[in-house]
Amino acid sequence: MSNAQLALQQAQPSADFEAKLARSRALLQQAAREFQPLVQASSLGAEDVVIRHLIETLDLPIPMLVLDTGTLHPETLELLARTEARAAQPSAQPVQIYRPQAGAAEAFVEREGPDAMRRSVALRQACCAIRKVEPLRRALHGQRGWITGLRREQSATRAEVPLIDRSDLDPARADRPSAGLLQFNPLADWSWGDVWHHIAHHSLDYNPLHDRFYPSIGCAPCTRAVSVGEDFRAGRWWWEQDNAKECGLHASKEGEPHAATPRLDNSQLDALEEETIFILREVAAAFERPALLFSGGKDSLVLLRCAEKAFGQGRLPYPLLMIDTGHNFPEVLAFRDQRAHELGAELIVRRVEDSMARGSVRLAHPGQSRNAHQSVTLLEAIDEFRFDALIGGARRDEEKARAKERLFSHRDAFGQWQPKAQRPELWNLYNTRLQPGEHFRVFPISNWTEIDVWQYIERERIALPSLYYAHLRQVVQRRGLLVPVTELTPPLPGEQVLECSVRFRTVGDITCTCPVASTAATAGQIVAETLNAQLSERGATRMDDQTSEASMEKRKLEGYF
């Protein structure tokens, strides 16, 4: 029985495989739409077969390049011939084959011998440079980006491979064959079981060497089968130390593998998670009509993961509530709807535009930010559904007005926060008694920090909207912030539009939410960046918090979350 047949029976895909698949498809579509000309680099391994299938089913204009080193296995050459035959069909994308320069490989063998690569790492790298690196340089000339089958699970040197790698945009790496290009790794977070589940489910043609325990396939003299317990790339250059096993195609710097982000101790996460779960259960037990404020942002997604652990998947005991300003990022709204659907949760959306239509919200001018007016719509929703508790993802480290917030924050009959009415919370005992018309705002992750949140996201593999990770975006510099260029936030006269690699530390209304410059494409890389951050996430990214020293305090008094 082949690996593909075993995959459906034994190698089960990850629990979040469908989310990974959707993310991979979306990444390929984004790459094809925004970064042409673009090419897929394929070694005809299992990962490359999956990526080719996704490209073909999405009907994307992305050709495939293959490096024929002159020493490939016969099975690989046979698969290449079958792949070329399929590519010859009408409307199919071509297969481009690149070989070493005429005579270069032969001259190397004549000079150093056929087994030179086993005498030293330097000779092996020289062989790779002739058979792989130089042909790849020619293949990528004139491209804006390339797609690879790198996965984090493949080896320790690839443990931090991002979905989009921007490292080759650095001018200091001009000697790389992929210098100046974006590298897309759509399967970066896939497991081996995910790969084979997809191959088996779609009956895809694959290299039969995989059935003979070759998870990674390269040149015949430098590849062997692996044994039980060895990692996926143990069969590549097996006579070398593990930290040297790259050929120069996928290095962060010439000759260096993708560097792993230093790991921090995250033992505190268990205690924080336990406290959060306790509070979520306390809310369910103490209140009649609670709701969880859900924006689709990272903090509310962390809350949802804890809620799943508190009550079980698909058993959330309260609805999700979002106040939509009408100016939210579409990526976040789409992710919000997708996540609510996956959970089978009731999603209640109330819009500031409806409050405007009722006359309860009036803008000073059409261009005024609607963010501050969420308080009115939120209080109207509380009155409509008679909510007696709202669970939010606010944290004390975000902003100084939130630093003195209680876990169970009492709000009066007008929905306002009164400092003198807050109750003591000694020994984790919470006074949840209410008078008619009053309610509580509950903040289960109040004791978490931004680094705790990102470490938890990394540990739990929580999917997030793409805005949270580094991407290219047009921005202008304004008042010390990077303001995204959108229809709602156009550049002002005299402002220069820049295209930068940025990510959002927090997401909210487009008119007042700014990204930060970043190349961090994984949760681990974001943790490393956050360690060096000088401003809180709201202080660094929210224009509405910079209007005065007491911006947040004033909005809390008005009923803001």
Side-chain angles (χ1 to χ4, degrees):
M1 183 177 291
S2 71
N3 277 353
Q5 292 169 323
L6 284 171
L8 284 180
Q9 297 180 17
Q10 298 177 3
Q12 294 298 318
S14 306
D16 58 347
F17 171 73
E18 291 301 327
K20 292 180 182 178
L21 177 60
R23 191 158 54 246
S24 300
R25 290 166 60 92
L27 180 63
L28 289 170
Q29 289 173 315
Q30 177 193 0
R33 183 175 60 251
E34 300 177 10
F35 298 99
Q36 292 288 358
L38 179 75
V39 68
Q40 178 201 0
S42 172
S43 65
L44 301 172
E47 293 88 352
D48 304 308
V49 167
V50 170
I51 293 173
R52 197 70 224 158
H53 177 254
L54 295 177
I55 290 172
E56 291 174 352
T57 55
L58 292 170
D59 194 23
L60 300 176
I62 302 175
M64 179 171 71
L65 74 85
V66 177
L67 302 180
D68 183 354
T69 64
T71 57
L72 298 179
H73 294 83
E75 294 87 345
T76 304
L77 293 174
E78 291 168 5
L79 177 58
L80 175 58
R82 296 195 298 272
T83 303
E84 285 188 284
R86 288 192 294 271
Q89 301 298 319
S91 75
Q93 293 296 316
V95 176
Q96 305 164 355
I97 301 176
Y98 288 82
R99 296 179 173 86
Q101 288 185 340
E106 292 81 358
F108 176 82
V109 171
E110 183 177 353
R111 183 175 67 253
E112 303 292 347
D115 295 325
M117 73 286 293
R118 300 192 186 186
R119 297 209 310 270
S120 73
V121 173
L123 284 174
R124 194 268 297 167
Q125 290 176 339
C127 183
C128 289
I130 292 169
R131 297 182 184 275
K132 293 183 175 183
V133 177
E134 188 282 327
L136 181 67
R137 193 184 305 276
R138 282 186 279 119
L140 295 181
H141 179 71
Q143 303 290 334
R144 289 189 64 199
W146 63 312
I147 299 167
T148 81
L150 298 189
R151 293 186 300 110
R152 295 166 193 156
E153 187 186 55
Q154 287 169 336
S155 69
T157 60
R158 298 182 175 182
E160 292 294 333
V161 167
L163 289 171
I164 304 178
D165 191 341
R166 296 173 171 80
S167 60
D168 285 335
L169 298 180
D170 187 343
R173 301 178 184 178
D175 57 345
R176 298 272 297 122
S178 52
L181 276 63
L182 284 177
Q183 179 178 316
F184 296 90
N185 307 306
L187 306 188
D189 58 352
W190 284 41
S191 69
W192 192 231
D194 294 333
V195 172
W196 281 102
H197 172 78
H198 190 88
I199 289 174
H201 185 71
H202 296 281
S203 301
L204 303 182
D205 188 14
Y206 64 92
N207 195 324
L209 287 173
H210 288 306
D211 290 330
R212 306 209 298 266
F213 304 102
Y214 283 75
S216 178
I217 303 171
C219 296
C222 300
T223 309
R224 65 162 172 80
V226 300
S227 302
V228 175
E230 291 186 304
D231 72 30
F232 295 97
R233 290 178 61 79
R236 304 292 295 275
W237 311 295
W238 62 92
W239 59 89
E240 295 180 355
Q241 296 295 320
D242 287 346
N243 60 4
K245 292 185 177 183
E246 291 290 350
C247 61
L249 301 186
H250 303 300
S252 298
K253 297 179 182 178
E254 194 68 40
E256 296 181 7
H258 288 272
T261 302
R263 297 287 179 177
L264 295 177
D265 177 31
N266 64 1
S267 57
Q268 81 283 2
L269 296 182
D270 290 334
L272 291 170
E273 179 189 69
E274 182 179 351
E275 178 187 53
T276 300
I277 289 174
F278 172 77
I279 294 170
L280 289 169
R281 289 173 174 166
E282 185 78 3
V283 171
F287 298 100
E288 295 182 8
R289 292 173 297 279
L292 193 153
L293 291 166
F294 181 57
S295 65
K298 70 180 189 307
D299 298 305
S300 56
L301 287 163
V302 165
L303 272 178
L304 274 186
R305 175 56 57 87
C306 291
E308 286 184 89
K309 292 189 175 185
F311 304 108
Q313 191 170 12
R315 300 176 60 185
L316 199 64
Y318 21 71
L320 309 180
L321 172 65
M322 181 188 182
I323 305 302
D324 187 351
T325 66
H327 292 163
N328 295 90
F329 289 96
E331 300 95 327
V332 176
L333 296 181
F335 195 90
R336 173 204 69 187
D337 294 341
Q338 172 191 329
R339 192 72 185 99
H341 176 73
E342 290 171 353
L343 288 171
E346 178 187 2
L347 175 62
I348 300 170
V349 179
R350 288 298 178 264
R351 297 173 172 82
V352 174
E353 291 170 338
D354 294 333
S355 298
M356 293 166 59
R358 288 190 291 269
S360 52
V361 167
R362 295 184 180 181
L363 302 182
H365 55 83
Q368 182 187 8
S369 174
R370 300 176 182 178
N371 196 61
H373 298 288
Q374 292 181 92
S375 303
V376 175
T377 308
L378 176 60
L379 293 175
E380 290 174 346
I382 292 171
D383 184 64
E384 177 185 355
F385 294 97
R386 298 174 59 224
F387 291 131
D388 53 3
L390 293 180
I391 304 167
R395 307 190 321 272
R396 288 176 176 146
D397 75 323
E398 287 182 287
E399 204 272 343
K400 59 187 178 183
R402 288 181 169 174
K404 57 188 176 185
E405 188 68 89
R406 296 285 195 269
L407 293 174
F408 283 72
S409 177
H410 177 267
R411 303 299 166 102
D412 64 21
F414 298 99
Q416 297 178 334
W417 177 77
Q418 300 294 346
K420 294 182 180 181
Q422 302 307 308
R423 288 127 185 225
E425 297 179 338
L426 304 177
W427 305 292
N428 292 333
L429 297 175
Y430 307 111
N431 184 343
T432 59
R433 288 177 293 181
L434 291 171
Q435 297 297 323
E438 298 175 344
H439 71 279
F440 273 91
R441 307 286 174 87
V442 184
F443 305 113
I445 63 171
S446 188
N447 290 327
W448 297 46
T449 66
E450 185 180 7
I451 290 178
D452 293 330
V453 169
W454 279 110
Q455 285 188 293
Y456 191 75
I457 289 168
E458 181 183 33
R459 189 185 81 172
E460 299 292 318
R461 298 177 181 266
I462 299 174
L464 299 179
S466 59
L467 293 175
Y468 279 108
Y469 299 105
H471 59 283
L472 292 177
R473 181 177 290 268
Q474 289 189 331
V475 298
V476 295
Q477 293 181 319
R478 185 181 304 164
R479 288 165 42 197
L481 299 172
L482 296 179
V483 179
V485 175
T486 68
E487 292 182 3
L488 297 170
T489 53
L492 300 177
E495 290 183 332
Q496 181 182 1
V497 177
L498 308 171
E499 187 174 66
C500 301
S501 178
V502 300
R503 66 177 176 87
F504 286 83
R505 290 175 71 183
T506 180
V507 294
D509 190 281
I510 292 174
T511 62
C512 60
T513 305
C514 299
V516 295
S518 173
T519 59
T522 68
Q525 292 169 357
I526 289 174
V527 168
E529 274 193 358
T530 305
L531 284 171
N532 297 316
Q534 300 298 313
L535 293 173
S536 70
E537 60 188 274
R538 293 189 69 90
T541 64
R542 297 299 289 265
M543 289 187 284
D544 52 338
D545 288 348
Q546 297 192 356
T547 55
S548 78
E549 287 285 323
S551 296
M552 179 66 75
E553 193 87 10
K554 180 174 180 290
R555 280 181 285 152
K556 282 173 64 178
L557 291 171
E558 293 172 349
Y560 183 70
F561 144 73

